[in-house]
Amino acid sequence: MADNNSVVAGESLNQSVNYKVILVQVFVTLFLCINVGLITTFFMKDFFYTTMRYILFATILMSDCFILIVTNVLLILNYFKFTIQTWFCLIMVIMSYLYNFVTPVTLTVMTLERYVAICMPLRHGELCSQHSALQCILIIHGLSSVPCIVFLSIIFASASLKVYQQYRVCSMERFIFHTWQGHLRSAISQFYFVIMFSTIVFCYVKIMKVAKAASGENKQSTWKGLRTVILHAFQLLLCLIQLWCPFIEAAVLKTGFMLFINVRYFNYIMFSLVPRCLSPLIYGLRDEEFFLALKNNVLCGFVKTTFHSFSFDKLKL
């Protein structure tokens, strides 16, 4: 009887995991389709790829697409226990690690752009030009690559060349050879968290002061910008919590494997998929200019839309 119960429990577990994997595939496919539609819309109008906030928005969309694809491939490889060579696994892990930082750093820069637009409107055109946007993208990837360079340096110093030729199930944990490596990775993540969170708070306080002092249409547009900053803060918080998930999961694994599986699945949905779902909502669907362009794109030109120069009071913020 005990053996039969064990078999039934094992079958139930497999079915449960199957449903979870299928659900993830549905979510990933849906978000990728939405993001691809938004990226296509971005390249259809000169106004979008010459405006800093839309350029940064497209950067987040591309980063989200990449991270969704890579993490989903790693999820499938782990679920079916496929083994790949360690060097190829390392490339996938490092790229995933890089773009886990690119999204929150880009969100921070977008918040700074809102701060300049509302608190320094006369200098917005100068500081937030197309050229500045391209420079920001380079800076974003440079800052995001610092943790990856540190992580890679530690791996190359700790592992022999034979390790990279081995076939293993791919995961970040495969490259944590010493306890202090995990502590160092945690310290870097927390440092980035403090810097980005402080930037968000600074922008929020400054915009709040302008909102209280403004009047009429300026007051309305400023409060709309403030709500955008709040949404950025929430999205950024979810992205930054994701940086701490490996340490939470490592602690949970010591308690029980089933709990570890459930916590890891929850973390992936909540802190990886959900933040990628918010990007299209904040700038893709709530922005009138972008929404009309997307609507026209989806309906293949059957819906005629009139595009006009950008103004803050025409945003559905």
Side-chain angles (χ1 to χ4, degrees), residues 206-220:
K206 291 294 184 180
I207 294 175
M208 177 71 77
K209 290 181 180 179
V210 173
K212 289 182 178 180
S215 60
E217 293 184 358
N218 288 335
K219 189 178 186 69
Q220 183 181 6

Side-chain angles (χ1 to χ4, degrees), residues 3-204:
D3 292 338
N4 290 336
N5 289 336
S6 300
V7 171
V8 172
E11 291 177 352
S12 299
L13 173 60
N14 288 332
Q15 291 176 356
S16 174
V17 173
N18 281 330
Y19 292 143
K20 290 178 179 179
V21 172
I22 292 172
L23 184 61
V24 168
Q25 302 313 304
V26 172
F27 278 129
V28 169
T29 303
L30 177 62
F31 295 155
L32 284 176
C33 289
I34 293 173
N35 286 356
V36 169
L38 292 172
I39 292 171
T40 303
T41 302
F42 167 79
F43 285 107
M44 290 182 63
K45 295 292 177 181
D46 294 347
F47 174 71
F48 294 143
Y49 54 81
T50 56
T51 305
M52 183 173 185
R53 69 194 195 91
Y54 291 116
I55 295 174
L56 294 175
F57 172 52
T59 302
I60 283 187
L61 290 177
M62 294 177 185
S63 171
D64 289 348
C65 287
F66 185 84
I67 198 70
L68 285 173
I69 293 171
V70 172
T71 55
N72 190 49
V73 169
L74 290 174
L75 173 71
I76 294 172
L77 290 175
N78 275 269
Y79 175 69
F80 291 104
K81 304 299 181 185
F82 285 134
T83 58
I84 59 176
Q85 275 194 304
T86 303
W87 66 266
F88 185 60
C89 173
L90 179 61
I91 293 175
M92 295 182 68
V93 166
I94 288 298
M95 296 305 293
S96 172
Y97 193 43
L98 169 65
Y99 282 94
N100 274 335
F101 281 95
V102 166
T103 294
V105 173
T106 307
L107 284 171
T108 305
V109 174
M110 292 178 78
T111 302
L112 287 171
E113 188 274 335
R114 289 293 84 201
Y115 161 74
V116 173
I118 294 172
C119 300
M120 306 167 62
L122 298 179
R123 300 198 61 192
H124 183 260
E126 174 192 350
L127 297 176
C128 300
S129 63
Q130 182 184 15
H131 181 66
S132 299
L134 298 178
Q135 289 180 332
C136 283
I137 291 174
L138 292 176
I139 294 172
I140 287 167
H141 284 79
L143 291 174
S144 302
S145 64
V146 172
C148 299
I149 293 172
V150 173
F151 190 61
L152 271 176
S153 301
I154 295 172
I155 292 173
F156 291 150
S158 304
S160 63
L161 293 177
K162 293 182 179 179
V163 172
Y164 303 108
Q165 299 174 354
Q166 298 175 356
Y167 284 82
R168 295 182 178 181
V169 176
C170 187
S171 68
M172 173 72 80
E173 289 72 20
R174 297 291 185 185
F175 301 100
I176 304 296
F177 302 109
H178 308 286
T179 305
W180 62 267
Q181 289 178 261
H183 294 327
L184 179 61
R185 190 159 64 106
S186 175
I188 294 174
S189 298
Q190 291 175 27
F191 174 75
Y192 272 67
F193 175 85
V194 170
I195 296 298
M196 289 185 278
F197 182 77
S198 301
T199 303
I200 291 285
V201 171
F202 169 80
C203 293
Y204 177 84

